[in-house]
Amino acid sequence: MSKQTLIRLNNLKKIFYTDEVETHALSDIQLSINSGEFLSISGPSGCGKSTLLSILGLLDTPSEGEYVLNGHSVVDLTSAQRAAIRNKEVGFIFQSFNLISDLTVEENVALPLTYRDNLKKADIKSQVKSALEKVDMAHRSNHFPSQLSGGQQQRVAVARAIAGNPSIILADEPTGNLDTKNAEAVMQLLEKLHSEGATICMVTHDPRSAERAERIVEILDGKIIADSITHKSTAVA
Amino acid sequence: MKWLFDLKYAYRMLLKNPGFSGLTIAVMTAGLGLCIYMFSFIQSVMFRPLPFENGDKMYVVEAEIDGVFYNNGSLLLHDYQEIKQQTDSFSIIGAYYPSTANLSNGDRAERYVAVNTTANLFDYTGIHPIMGRTLTPEDNQSGAQKVAVIGYRLWQDYFNGATDIIGKTVKNNGVVTEIVGVMPEGFRFPINHQVWIPMTDDHTRLSRTEAPNVSGFVLLKDDVSLEQASQEIKTIMTELEKRYPETNSRTSGYITTFKKAVMGNGSEMIIGMMLTAVLFVLILACVNVGNLLFARANERAKETAIRVALGAPQYRLIMQMMWESVIICTIGGLFGLFGAAWALELTVDTLPSLMPMEVPYFWTLELDAELIAQTTLIVLLTSFLTGIVPAWKMSRSDFNAVLRDGTRGALSKRAGRVNQILVIVEVALSCVLLCMSGVLVVLLQEVDQTYYGANLDNKLKARIGLPEISYDDDTSKETYFLQLLTRLKDKPGVKSAGAMSSLPGEGAWYTTFETDGREVIENNYPRAHLIISYTGTMQALNMPLVSGRYFNINDRKGNQRVAIVTRSLAEKYWPGEDPLGKQLRWIETDNKEWITVVGIVNHTIHGQPYSMMKHRPSIYVPYSQQPSRFMDLFIEVSGNPNDYRQVLSSTVSSVDPEVPAYNVNTIDDALQRSTGGMFFIRSLFSVFALCALLLASSGIYGVLANSTARRTQEIGIRRAIGASDEKILSMMMRQGWFQLSIGLLFGLPLGYLTSLGFVQLVGPESSNYLWVFLFIPTTIAIVVSLATFFPAKKAIQMEPSSALRYE
């Protein structure tokens, strides 16, 4: 497995301005994520981990600092450019699944692919099928999200995240809304994806989930206070 | 084909919310349907070129007297000749004047609408006959053999479609006339004519007072604008006014399309107001649908945020929202198109009963390809207008916050401001429309109760036109009407009978005169209606005598010439004096004898009871002193006047079989038809106003209910910290009333200004219409108060704990 640097954050800051109050959500973040890495970002509520994930996913822009993705700086991109990169390079998994209730499972998974140019219908269909098979949800492709359990919905969300073969999967508390059994199934799915070469960055405040990654970055008050390798990494190595 | 994915989704969303979809489609159907109907109607009656090759360059030249536009033959023949010689704006110029063709073949007499015309009328239209020939310049020579071209319908009805019609003769107004051509079906130019007779009047042999009035038909040259031609005509007419003050005092000329000429005075203003009204209804519909889509976009904020996270380009986000408005507006447009087609059909069926004349041939009220193309454009425009604001707003929302919180969030300041503006716009627009409609309703109520200066109830009328060739002297005319009226009075059930050149309510000749001892400055002669009245007619019409006497049998030719004038004329020209014994004489006739005023009657209205006509004074002269070939005949009956139609027609035929009675109708119906156009407009405005009220009230309710619902949490917080229900309710009501006040602040003055056009046109006698400006704001205030109260009440009925958790 190659260990190229996929993401590099240098002196990254995020400041929110509300009226006369200046809130430093992130300060001097230095972080590199390699291809094929399974990283978890943990910390207490309000520490800035979701903000960091938003910046990583190009949903938000940093106030200062450098963000290099796949060797290209993505700080000064336009909204449309960021949307295009988000569509091709990033796959999101949310805590509350965030499936569109009026689209079928198949349509939800296909959604990011429909935003790509020059992708034929047949290609979309085969990529969707492959993604659903990976998460073992192909048999539910014509169902609507409301007809699925929470665990199944999150598996569909994972399928949507991987359907476009993104460079990185960003998972925001992916097990937060699930019971223990389903949470375990989702974590196993992420581990499986990682073992197949996917780069995963997961935000969680659950230490047990964090332990499933090979690297843990801890944040407190907007700063990285620890960046450690777990035993899993050692095992993989 | 990615757009199909979005389209399919939008379609599915609309199916999923049938209430929302049904409401928005109904709103757009109403707005677009009215808009399509009005566009079609206005284009057909006003703007679409005549259906000829050069229809867009075909205009008519007429006279304008005292600022009033006259049509259908108002330009003096001599003035037309001057224009023809001096102007350089037209590639074809000709003239016609309307006349009556009493066709008789010995045992059957029928009256048709005819036109005496120069021969080039047919080249002008470019239409060829289906049989025979059209008129030639030789036919226009005085002394030429009498010929006529007839219309297809006349050929079928009167001549049973005889194929050997060409060369046959028929008596037209008593003159043997050869049929030389038959025009194709549908050809009725200029308006509804069926007989075309060569105009043989020679202006070089006629004095200006003898010459007929004509309409000039002109084909504008390619390099000449309408404004240039108009200016040229006005310049010529100004010069003619200076040269011939007796006949041209206060007279100018104007050029316009045939359609506008038929529509008459004030029509452009009314059409403009109708367009404004229908545009307001459409805007209201767009505002309503836009607002509903906006509310829905807010509800779907999370979905949009997910799409953003998945990398949706902004144009796809916008299009996702736009598709819904496209579907709503397209379905609304389709239903609107069907509704408009139905309304047009209804109008075609209704119009004949509202018009004083046959509906012009060029009023083709139907949907055509051009209108469908325009509808498509309107649908696209409305789709854009209704969808773009919600779509744009959603594509730029704070999706990070939505993704993080998973809620729609409280109502932002900006969204709240948009809602406020929407309510203000709806209040203002509905106020304007309701004021216009309300004012028209009140004004026409007054018109409906107009007293024309005579008792016109229970009377049946007809028009009589004596052929010139058979009735070429005064005695024969007088004898005819004496016989006719005597026979009519003898019929059972007939209480009285009479004849007048124009009955009250009918248009009359508005001509110049002078009074003895009153100096005319710069040949600016006064004008009055000249009405010829058969002896006993004014009594039969119960025209109240103010002073003096009615006409009697001694008022005959050779005796002192007498007149009865209306009180309005007496007060204007002999104020503070006794008008009896005063003298006046006509300017535009060769007979310059002085006429002595022997009686005063109350003011009578000849023509429509609107401001431009109703205040004009009238002068009545006895038939025996000024016999006329054309008279309005009437009988007063006991019972239903319609039951006497046959009696009247057969009695007319019994006096002279070659003279038919035409335009047989009750006077009541004729009066209603003369104002029917305005009542039709009132009906349209009432529909606009009703739609506006429904749209505005539902829209305001929707906006306020939506904004109140989005403030549920805020209301919960206020109650949690101790605010009483009354305080919350009062706060909400105050906000509703604030928006109401701002809306009325704009709407009321605008409503007043737009209604002024109607006020000026109708010229009401009272100021009752001003009550509308109190009634309408009160109505809107009640609607807004209710629309504010119910959502607010619903909000305070929720438990504070539930309100705090409300999403």
Side-chain angles (χ1 to χ4, degrees), chain B residues 197-395:
Chain B
I197 301 161
M199 193 169 92
T200 53
D201 309 81
D202 183 354
H203 74 286
T204 59
R205 295 186 186 182
L206 295 167
S207 69
R208 292 180 70 82
T209 53
E210 290 171 326
N213 284 346
V214 300
S215 301
F217 58 82
V218 296
L219 194 66
L220 205 62
K221 282 182 178 170
D222 287 340
D223 56 346
V224 178
S225 71
L226 186 64
E227 290 70 31
Q228 286 171 315
S230 176
Q231 190 53 51
E232 196 175 38
I233 287 165
K234 285 195 185 305
T235 307
I236 295 168
M237 290 300 286
T238 305
E239 180 57 31
L240 291 173
E241 188 184 6
K242 284 179 194 157
R243 275 162 55 195
Y244 307 108
E246 292 83 4
T247 52
N248 285 45
S249 170
R250 307 210 300 265
T251 301
S252 183
Y254 71 99
I255 177 170
T256 188
T257 62
F258 283 86
K259 290 189 171 183
K260 286 183 185 173
V262 166
M263 288 296 283
N265 290 278
S267 57
E268 283 189 339
M269 184 200 69
I270 290 177
I271 292 291
M273 289 168 82
M274 286 166 99
L275 270 179
T276 308
V278 79
L279 206 63
F280 278 11
V281 173
L282 188 61
I283 292 173
L284 269 175
C286 288
V287 167
N288 271 10
V289 172
N291 173 53
L292 288 168
L293 286 170
F294 189 68
R296 210 148 109 118
N298 279 325
E299 284 166 12
R300 289 166 57 186
K302 188 165 184 183
E303 177 200 316
T304 308
I306 295 168
R307 289 174 183 274
V308 169
L310 296 177
Q314 197 174 26
Y315 80 91
R316 286 284 298 274
L317 291 175
I318 291 175
M319 278 315 294
Q320 179 64 59
M321 292 298 299
M322 291 293 288
W323 277 123
E324 280 188 44
S325 62
V326 169
I327 293 173
I328 289 165
C329 293
T330 304
I331 297 175
L334 272 175
F335 285 151
L337 207 59
F338 291 134
W342 171 78
L344 287 170
E345 262 186 46
L346 193 70
T347 308
V348 169
D349 293 342
T350 314
L351 267 184
S353 64
L354 296 172
M355 300 268 297
M357 57 175 189
E358 202 178 342
V359 176
Y361 77 93
F362 45 69
W363 284 18
T364 46
L365 299 175
E366 59 189 16
L367 297 183
D368 56 14
E370 191 187 340
L371 190 73
I372 291 170
Q374 286 168 348
T375 302
T376 311
L377 272 179
I378 296 171
V379 164
L380 286 175
L381 187 69
T382 48
S383 303
F384 179 77
L385 289 176
T386 51
I388 191 67
V389 175
W392 183 252
K393 181 88 178 64
M394 275 329 296
S395 72

Side-chain angles (χ1 to χ4, degrees), chain B residues 665-682:
Chain B
N665 200 359
T666 64
I667 296 183
D668 272 344
D669 190 51
L671 290 177
Q672 276 178 8
R673 282 167 181 270
S674 83
T675 54
M678 197 59 101
F679 280 86
F680 175 64
I681 290 164
R682 183 184 72 176

Side-chain angles (χ1 to χ4, degrees), chain B residues 661-793:
Chain B
Y662 60 93
N663 290 351
V664 181
N665 200 359
T666 64
I667 296 183
D668 272 344
D669 190 51
L671 290 177
Q672 276 178 8
R673 282 167 181 270
S674 83
T675 54
M678 197 59 101
F679 280 86
F680 175 64
I681 290 164
R682 183 184 72 176
S683 307
L684 288 179
F685 268 93
S686 298
V687 173
F688 297 157
L690 191 68
C691 276
L693 189 64
L694 285 174
L695 289 176
S697 51
S698 63
I700 290 167
Y701 177 82
V703 170
L704 291 173
N706 181 42
S707 64
T708 306
R710 298 187 70 195
R711 292 176 65 184
T712 304
Q713 268 189 339
E714 177 201 323
I715 292 167
I717 294 165
R718 285 177 187 272
R719 293 172 78 201
I721 59 174
S724 67
D725 290 354
E726 290 73 27
K727 279 205 168 155
I728 302 270
L729 196 61
S730 135
M731 176 192 79
M732 305 291 284
M733 295 303 286
R734 270 204 311 273
Q735 284 170 359
W737 287 331
F738 172 75
Q739 292 162 67
L740 168 76
S741 310
I742 303 289
L744 290 180
L745 202 65
F746 287 104
L748 213 50
L750 206 59
Y752 178 75
L753 288 174
T754 47
S755 306
L756 275 185
F758 287 139
V759 175
Q760 281 166 2
L761 195 68
V762 175
E765 297 300 311
S766 72
S767 306
N768 285 346
Y769 69 90
L770 289 174
W771 287 103
V772 168
F773 299 101
L774 185 67
F775 176 75
I776 297 300
T778 309
T779 307
I780 297 175
I782 292 169
V783 168
V784 171
S785 299
L786 290 174
T788 315
F789 176 76
F790 286 112
K793 194 160 185 286

Side-chain angles (χ1 to χ4, degrees), chain A residues 98 102 107 114-116, chain B residues 2 12 16 302 316:
Chain A
N98 283 347
D102 294 296
E107 287 167 338
T114 68
Y115 296 139
R116 290 191 186 177
Chain B
K2 306 280 173 54
R12 193 184 292 166
K16 193 187 164 194
K302 188 165 184 183
R316 286 284 298 274

